[in-house]
């Protein structure tokens, strides 16, 4: 069995600091940045130095632990301030709020202790979230592998890989697991306009792992599906509502519609921390609207006329009826999702 090591260090807690690979510079440069201030971590999340739902959650947890390292009181107000700042960074990925909640729960347990023990406990909790994420991805990979034929052409959108998580990936974790099981896998990576996570990140990390990948622009997906060149689609998620509606990178909905029209299975891979059962449907998921600059510029070069109207919803919602199955670390959920997802959450 071929073993794929977690080689990409998306984020790390190192000597009381947070170290992150600056994803904005990939694939051109591999630069690691060191953070010693929680405000800088919050800005790194906003600017997409780090991105991808689970990775955002890990970064927020580490940012909170980091912020508490430099407090000198017992820190209750400071803790609330740091958590409030982190929760304003990006609105769609629920892993952010999940991670903040976990840090809050841990703080509740630690608050009666001396400050140095609170600080150590929060740092450990953040690292625990990091480790659990990798473990969840490995398990998700094993479950997802059951759905992958011995030879498969898999289309993915955005980047739901090692870079979007603490390591190994969700959608790309399943690809990695299938490769580890000796399957012949070829991936079509959608370029993913406007921020190009597919071209810059998915293509980069698959190529690094020697997994065959073909980059296509988003508008080529239908062409290859119609030619029967795509056997299945796997994407990640930023938030999944109780009914199985899935918020993910803008363009995911279009891919799901195309998959349905071509009778191709459309799978979503996501950890339990991406489920938001407090929302009954995807209509309630907040959709981040990012800067128009990301649409009218490529690498700082303007590609559209000045003064025009631009929209930039960064995510869309795929209705549950287009989702063949949702792969989690606790197993594979199928419709009706209201029941299957609730069962998985309760089994934790
Ligand atoms: O804007 P991004 O790059 O943070 O969006 C990322 C995605 O949409 C991913 O598909 C999703 O977060 C899942 S990552 C495992």
């Amino acid at each position: 069995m071929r073993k794929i090591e977690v080689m990409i260090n998306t984020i790390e807690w190192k000597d009381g600091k947070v170290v992150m690979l600056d994803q904005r510079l990939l694939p051109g440069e591999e630069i690691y940045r060191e953070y010693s201030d929680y405000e800088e971590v919050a800005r790194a999340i906003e600017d997409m130095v780090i991105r991808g739902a689970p990775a955002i959650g890990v970064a927020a947890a580490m940012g909170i632990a980091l912020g508490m390292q430099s407090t000198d009181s017992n820190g209750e107000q400071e803790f609330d301030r740091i958590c409030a700042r982190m929760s304003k960074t990006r609105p769609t990925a629920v892993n952010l709020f999940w991670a903040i909640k976990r840090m809050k729960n841990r703080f509740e347990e630690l608050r009666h202790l001396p400050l140095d023990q609170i600080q150590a406990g929060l740092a450990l909790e953040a690292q625990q979230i990091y480790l659990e994420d990798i473990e969840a991805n490995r398990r998700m990979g094993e479950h997802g592998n059951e759905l992958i034929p011995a030879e498969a052409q898999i289309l993915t959108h955005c980047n739901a890989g090692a870079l979007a998580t603490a390591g190994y990936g969700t959608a790309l974790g399943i690809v990695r697991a299938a490769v580890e099981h000796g399957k012949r896998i070829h991936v079509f990576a959608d370029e993913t306009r406007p921020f190009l996570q597919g071209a810059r990140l998915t293509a980069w990390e698959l190529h690094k792992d020697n997994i065959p990948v073909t980059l296509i622009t988003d508008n080529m997906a239908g062409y290859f599906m119609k030619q029967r060149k795509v056997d299945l689609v796997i994407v990640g998620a930023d938030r999944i509502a109780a009914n199985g509606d899935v918020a993910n990178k803008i363009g995911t909905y279009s891919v799901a519609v195309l998959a349905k029209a071509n009778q191709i299975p459309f799978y979503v891979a996501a950890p339990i921390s991406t489920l938001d059962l407090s929302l009954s449907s995807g209509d309630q998921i907040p959709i981040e609207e990012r800067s128009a600059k990301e649409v009218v510029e490529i690498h700082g070069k303007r590609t559209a006329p000045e003064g025009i109207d631009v929209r930039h919803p960064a995510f869309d919602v795929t209705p549950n009826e287009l989702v063949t199955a949702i792969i989690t670390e606790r197993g594979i959920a199928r419709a009706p999702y209201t029941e299957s997802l609730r069962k998985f959450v309760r089994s934790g």
Side-chain angles (χ1 to χ4, degrees):
M1 185 162 145
R2 178 180 162 191
K3 190 98 190 114
I4 296 178
E5 297 305 331
V6 179
M7 294 184 312
I8 300 165
N9 281 338
T10 309
I11 182 165
E12 213 184 340
W13 179 268
K14 206 172 173 190
D15 306 326
K17 297 203 168 85
V18 179
V19 180
M20 292 186 226
L21 175 58
D22 189 341
Q23 299 191 24
R24 298 167 307 179
L25 305 179
L26 292 172
E29 290 175 274
E30 245 177 90
I31 306 273
Y32 286 86
R33 299 196 189 281
E34 202 177 81
Y35 297 87
S36 48
D37 173 357
Y38 80 88
E39 176 55 36
E40 289 171 6
V41 173
R43 265 190 246 129
I45 297 172
E46 286 166 347
D47 295 346
M48 293 170 75
V49 170
I50 189 159
R51 30 63 52 203
I56 291 171
V58 173
M62 289 190 179
I64 292 167
L66 187 65
M68 288 303 286
Q69 303 288 304
S70 49
T71 187
D72 45 17
S73 58
N74 85 352
E76 180 133 10
Q77 276 183 346
E78 182 66 353
F79 181 78
D80 289 345
R81 210 177 5 253
I82 299 166
C83 290
R85 174 68 184 101
M86 286 300 162
S87 68
K88 296 230 155 43
T89 51
R90 295 194 71 191
T92 304
V94 78
N95 306 63
L96 173 77
F97 306 97
W98 172 89
I100 294 171
K101 181 89 197 322
R102 252 189 76 162
M103 294 302 279
K104 283 186 173 171
N105 291 345
R106 190 72 188 116
F107 184 74
E108 272 309 306
E109 290 164 0
L110 297 166
R111 61 195 292 175
H112 62 279
L113 296 172
L115 182 61
D116 59 336
Q117 289 182 37
I118 297 178
Q119 290 167 328
L122 290 174
L124 273 179
E125 185 71 3
Q127 290 171 83
Q128 185 61 25
I129 290 174
Y130 166 94
L131 291 173
E132 285 174 21
D133 187 56
I134 299 178
E135 181 54 34
N137 292 338
R138 287 269 182 195
R139 268 189 266 134
M140 202 183 300
E142 288 306 308
H143 289 301
N145 173 54
E146 290 165 23
L147 301 167
I148 314 288
E151 275 190 37
Q153 310 244 48
I154 301 176
L155 184 135
T156 192
H157 190 72
C158 193
N159 172 265
L163 291 166
T165 61
Y168 202 66
T170 58
L172 297 190
I174 295 170
V175 166
R176 287 192 166 96
V179 169
E180 287 184 308
H181 280 274
K183 295 181 178 173
R184 282 165 54 91
I185 305 295
H186 167 255
V187 176
F188 281 106
D190 275 358
E191 173 188 45
T192 317
R193 279 282 293 149
F195 211 62
L196 307 181
Q197 289 94 330
R200 294 187 302 104
L201 310 176
T202 295
W204 180 78
E205 63 168 87
L206 290 178
H207 189 61
K208 215 172 155 74
D209 273 352
N210 287 319
I211 296 173
V213 55
T214 301
L215 176 65
I216 58 172
T217 60
D218 301 346
N219 50 5
M220 295 174 190
Y223 173 84
F224 286 109
M225 287 185 185
K226 192 150 173 286
Q227 300 218 335
R228 310 311 305 163
K229 289 286 196 298
V230 176
D231 299 308
L232 58 120
V233 176
I234 317 180
V235 296
D238 282 81
R239 196 186 289 231
I240 302 175
N243 68 347
D245 290 351
V246 175
N248 191 48
K249 181 52 53 196
I250 192 74
T252 302
Y253 169 59
S254 316
V255 175
V257 171
L258 280 171
K260 178 86 168 179
N262 288 281
Q263 293 94 43
I264 294 168
F266 178 89
Y267 297 117
V268 174
I272 298 295
S273 54
T274 302
L275 303 181
D276 184 354
L277 302 193
S278 74
L279 305 183
S280 57
S281 92
D283 299 341
Q284 297 154 23
I285 298 176
I287 300 296
E288 178 182 14
E289 180 103 22
R290 288 188 64 85
S291 162
K293 248 177 117 165
E294 290 173 5
V295 177
V296 297
E297 287 182 1
I298 295 181
H299 292 309
K301 193 168 163 26
R302 181 126 193 148
T303 56
E306 299 280 353
I308 53 155
D309 186 31
V310 182
R311 287 292 308 273
H312 185 191
F315 300 94
D316 58 26
V317 175
T318 299
N320 60 64
E321 59 269 21
L322 299 181
V323 178
T324 311
I326 298 174
I327 304 151
T328 76
E329 69 273 35
R330 296 193 189 151
I332 299 168
R334 293 188 186 265
Y337 291 108
T338 314
E339 284 163 36
S340 55
L341 294 178
R342 197 185 324 126
K343 215 174 90 195
F344 279 155
V345 169
R346 287 197 178 148
S347 71

